Structures are given as C-alpha cells and as structure tokens.
Amino acid sequence: MRENNMIVILNFKCYKEAMGEKALTLARICEQISQEYSIKMAVAPQHPDIYRISSSVDIPVYAQHIDPIEVGSHTGYVLPECVAEAGACGTLLNHSEKRMKLADIERAIERARDVGLKTVVCTNNIPTTKAAATLLPDFVAVEPPELIGTGVAVSKANPEVVRGSVKAVKEIAPNVNVLCGAGITTGEDFKRAVELGAEGILLASGIVKAKDQREALESLVKWL
Ligand code: G3P
C-alpha cells in the first residue's frame, strides 16, 4: 500500500451536512478513505461533536478553535484542556472566519502545547504566513479568504501565494508544515497544490456539501 506524508484536513465548519450524526457519518467516510488510500486525514467538527467523533473513529480530530485561556472562570470560552479531554489531538487557529490577535495566537499555541494539541495556524497571504511561522505552530495553512467557498482553487487562482508561503516558511522554520486551502474541490486542485510545495490541504465545502461526500473525497485523493 502506498504511504505518503500528505495530510488532508476536512473542516466541517457549521454546515448542517456535517453536524451531529451527520458529522459522525462523514468522519467515518474520512476514516475509510484514509485507510483505503493510505492518506493521513483529519476532521475538524464543531466543538459539541468532538467527543462523539473522537470516541468512534480512528483518525485525528481537530477543534476549529481554542481560546488562549487557563482553567477557571471563562464562561463561553473554549478551554484547551477540555478540547484535549474530549479526544481532539489538534486545533485550527485564526481561521479567516475566527480571526485572532497575534498575541492570542501565540498564547493559544503555548496552551495547545501544554495539553498536547497540534496547531494549524490559518493565514491569508505570504506576510501573515511568515508571522505565523515564527510562532512555530505544527502547521500553517494559507487560505486567501476571497477564494473560500468559491470552488475556485487557490492552487490554480493564486499559485504564487502557495509557492511563496512554502518558500517563506521553510526559510524561517523548516519543521513547520505548510498546507493550503480555499476553493479546493478536485484531485487536480490537490495535485497542483502539492506541485507548488504544499504538504497537504485544508478544505470544507467541496466535500461537506457534495451530493455524494464519499465520491467527492475519493476523487480528491485517488491521484496520490
Ligand atoms: O478551512 C478550510 C476552508 O476555509 C476552505 O473552505 O469551502 O473553500 O474548501 P472551502
């Protein structure tokens, strides 16, 4: 069976097609495809679904966000310890739909490290990717917001932001892995991203909102 070091992180966002029991169904599809195609997959469900999924499937579950807080009186915030206890092994940070201050990103990375969560810091261009890399997350994921949800892949519409982000990160922090996302829906989009140096992709609507989620995911990865 082929092994590769690519990772596909599927962000469930707040889509109704990936909530509750449907989140578990989709996570199980991701687990099957991960095994069938020997590709690392992770899912990022809404917080209330983390335990439901982590206790039922054997692929990494990421939170969509954590707050840079300690245990205590922080009503309504997302505590890193609790996300870890729920079975998550990582978290997105600074997604374009949940932007954070730079100081809070730094503290959130520290708190994630305290509790054993990997971190994917989302960025929107090369300068913000450079800034994120200096904080030494596990991954940066460059995603031009204007392409998110459009089905127009960043790897085709703006290849330079991918190529330039990879170059910048590897000069600053070679061990930080570079993902890209926004508009990625097909295997061709994914293949192009890899050709530009990306070590994986972060995507959402192309799979979550597909008529046949399994078929969409299979066609995304079968070229590998
Ligand atoms: O977190 C990934 C997401 O922002 C990309 O969205 O729908 O363009 O794959 P989409």
Side-chain angles (χ1 to χ4, degrees), residues 11 13 15 92 95 97 143 147-150 182-184 202-206:
N11 181 1
K13 298 199 175 182
Y15 290 131
L92 307 184
H95 190 278
E97 296 148 10
E143 292 197 306
L147 294 174
I148 290 175
T150 65
I184 292 178
L202 179 57
L203 78 167
S205 56

Side-chain angles (χ1 to χ4, degrees), residues 8 10 26 29-30 184-185 203-220:
V8 174
L10 185 59
L26 181 49
I29 291 171
C30 294
I184 292 178
T185 58
L203 78 167
S205 56
I207 306 300
V208 174
K209 299 178 83 66
K211 197 174 294 162
D212 182 331
Q213 293 171 331
R214 181 187 168 87
E215 191 281 327
L217 189 55
E218 199 159 21
S219 66
L220 180 80

Side-chain angles (χ1 to χ4, degrees), residues 8 12 62 66 69 76 78 82 91 117 140 170 200 202 222:
V8 174
F12 290 9
Y62 277 55
I66 57 169
I69 58 169
V78 181
C82 198
T91 185
L117 293 174
V140 294
K170 296 308 176 186
L202 179 57
K222 66 185 176 188

Side-chain angles (χ1 to χ4, degrees), residues 28-49:
R28 286 197 171 116
I29 291 171
C30 294
E31 181 184 44
Q32 289 157 12
I33 297 293
S34 175
Q35 288 163 354
E36 289 168 22
Y37 289 88
S38 295
I39 180 156
K40 270 186 281 195
M41 278 220 63
V43 293
Q46 294 184 63
H47 291 116
D49 289 328

Side-chain angles (χ1 to χ4, degrees), residues 153-207:
V154 60
S155 49
K156 292 186 175 168
N158 189 349
E160 198 34 53
V161 79
V162 181
R163 198 189 341 254
S165 292
V166 170
K167 182 173 180 296
V169 171
K170 296 308 176 186
E171 286 168 358
I172 295 166
N175 293 333
V176 173
N177 293 306
V178 184
L179 312 180
C180 69
I184 292 178
T185 58
T186 68
E188 187 54 37
D189 299 340
F190 185 4
K191 187 165 184 281
R192 186 75 188 105
V194 172
E195 288 166 353
L196 292 165
E199 295 158 294
I201 54 174
L202 179 57
L203 78 167
S205 56
I207 306 300

Side-chain angles (χ1 to χ4, degrees), residues 110-132:
E110 287 173 352
R111 295 278 27 256
R113 210 168 278 141
D114 289 346
V115 301
L117 293 174
K118 289 188 182 298
T119 49
V120 181
V121 176
C122 300
T123 61
N124 55 308
N125 57 26
I126 296 171
T128 57
T129 301
K130 285 180 178 177

